[in-house]
């Protein structure tokens, strides 16, 4: 089932890419496995997915070490993504566990991540989470604040900003999410206009099960998919 779901997601990515003249191989699928068990994650990995997203540090930590124990599972190029909110008391565990922390929503948090990364001699890759909708409940930098935050965070030596991420608000029709995706792309372009070509931010993480096609049309190169992969 999971294998078939992944094939279907890949097909949908291929067709949106051919419609919009993009390379489907440039789009990373992050399988968001919050609440899913080891068996399901194992199946995802065996289906060729290399990027796993989790919402909670504690849950990820357990899965991370359990997945490593499964014999014969090819995990060498597996990457773990934190897509949920990171609390300051979990930063230490997060830095030990994740290849990409997608949910950095304050300069203070980036500073804490830097401090832990220095301790273990790691360069921690992060994304700036951008609040592209006015919803009160969402975290993230406003598109405007993202610029000044970027300028401060690039000074942290052990933190590497790779791009931006947003969570579009829940909408009835996925097409209604388009303005939020456009806003994220604009924010990325604004930041990139400030820096040299070699240091340009490349990752634009947007699009989930219901709206990833629209997100790709708007320039996403990293989609975070939960239900479309795991639901039967
Ligand atoms: C759960 C979650 C996803 C995946 O959502 P689906 O709608 O199940 O595809 C993506 N991003 C974040 C931040 C999430 O929390």
């Amino acid at each position: 089932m999971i294998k078939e779901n992944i094939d279907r997601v890949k097909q949908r990515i291929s067709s949106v890419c051919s419609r919009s003249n993009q390379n489907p191989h440039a789009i990373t699928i992050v399988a968001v496995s919050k609440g899913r068990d080891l068996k399901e994650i194992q199946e995802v990995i065996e289906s060729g997915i290399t990027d796993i997203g989790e919402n909670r540090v504690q849950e990820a930590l357990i899965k991370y070490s359990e997945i490593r124990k499964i014999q014969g599972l090819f995990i060498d190029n597996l990457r773990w993504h934190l897509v949920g909110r990171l609390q300051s008391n979990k930063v230490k565990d997060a830095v030990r566990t994740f290849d990409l922390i997608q949910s950095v929503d304050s300069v203070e948090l980036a500073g804490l991540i830097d401090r832990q990364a220095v301790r273990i001699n790691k360069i921690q890759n992060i994304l700036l989470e951008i609040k592209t909708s006015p919803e009160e409940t969402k975290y993230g930098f406003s598109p405007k604040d993202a610029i000044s935050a970027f300028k401060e965070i690039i000074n942290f030596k052990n933190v590497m900003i790779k791009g931006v991420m947003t969570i579009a608000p829940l909408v009835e029709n996925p097409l209604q999410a388009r303005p939020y995706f456009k806003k994220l792309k604009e924010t990325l372009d604004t930041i990139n206009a400030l820096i040299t070509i070699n240091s340009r931010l490349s990752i634009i993480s947007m699009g989930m099960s219901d709206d990833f096609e629209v997100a790709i049309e708007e320039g996403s190169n990293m989609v975070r998919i939960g239900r479309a992969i795991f639901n039967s």
Side-chain angles (χ1 to χ4, degrees):
M1 197 64 205
I2 285 177
K3 174 85 171 74
E4 284 79 6
N5 286 348
I6 291 171
D7 288 344
R8 204 167 311 127
V9 167
K10 285 184 177 166
Q11 269 166 23
R12 287 168 62 186
I13 291 177
S14 286
S15 38
V16 65
C17 282
S18 59
R19 284 203 304 275
S20 60
N21 232 332
Q22 297 183 71
N23 175 8
H25 301 291
I27 293 169
T28 302
I29 300 172
V30 178
V32 180
S33 54
K34 58 177 183 244
R36 312 292 174 172
D37 63 27
L38 286 177
K39 190 118 202 350
E40 293 172 288
I41 299 176
Q42 179 173 356
E43 213 177 319
V44 162
I45 297 168
E46 286 167 349
S47 308
I49 292 285
T50 53
D51 293 80
I52 304 289
E54 284 285 339
N55 252 41
R56 296 181 175 191
V57 177
Q58 263 2 70
E59 185 180 336
L61 208 59
I62 295 164
K63 290 174 175 175
Y64 176 85
S65 61
E66 291 300 318
I67 285 289
R68 272 161 192 274
K69 291 184 198 153
I70 299 176
Q71 294 284 322
L73 196 58
F74 190 68
I75 52 156
D76 282 356
N77 45 22
L78 201 57
R79 291 179 293 264
W80 292 77
H81 300 241
L82 180 64
V83 298
R85 186 130 205 271
L86 176 55
Q87 266 145 2
S88 48
N89 62 345
K90 300 279 169 30
V91 168
K92 185 176 173 190
D93 284 335
V95 170
R96 278 200 293 143
T97 310
F98 294 102
D99 300 288
L100 182 63
I101 298 177
Q102 297 205 9
S103 49
V104 175
D105 60 358
S106 74
V107 175
E108 293 71 37
L109 180 60
L112 293 173
I113 291 171
D114 182 59
R115 200 184 318 156
Q116 290 302 330
V118 168
R119 278 191 55 230
I120 63 167
N121 197 23
K122 175 186 185 183
I123 302 295
Q124 178 67 57
N125 291 331
I126 66 162
L127 302 182
L128 303 180
E129 180 170 353
I130 312 294
K131 193 170 117 123
T132 48
S133 62
E135 255 175 74
E136 290 299 323
T137 51
K138 287 224 162 57
Y139 299 102
F141 298 103
S142 72
K144 200 160 138 279
D145 292 345
I147 314 293
S148 54
F150 170 80
K151 289 177 179 166
E152 288 188 67
I153 295 173
I154 46 169
N155 295 316
F156 295 129
K157 289 212 158 32
N158 286 53
V159 166
M160 174 79 88
I161 307 173
K162 303 295 271 186
V164 291
M165 178 271 240
T166 200
I167 303 171
L170 270 180
V171 288
E172 255 167 59
N173 180 328
L175 294 176
Q176 292 172 296
R178 193 182 297 282
Y180 310 106
F181 298 143
K182 276 191 193 299
K183 181 60 96 180
L184 187 66
K185 179 66 166 63
E186 263 171 45
T187 306
L188 181 75
D189 290 346
T190 308
I191 293 173
N192 275 338
L194 299 171
I195 52 190
T196 59
I197 290 179
N198 289 337
S199 51
R200 295 262 150 97
L201 309 189
S202 57
I203 298 178
I204 175 159
S205 170
M206 59 186 188
M208 319 199 321
S209 292
D210 291 330
D211 56 20
F212 68 87
E213 283 143 317
V214 183
I216 291 169
E217 285 171 359
E218 295 306 325
S220 171
N221 56 22
M222 183 172 279
V223 291
R224 309 180 307 268
I225 314 280
R227 287 164 303 137
I229 288 178
F230 291 100
N231 283 7
S232 47

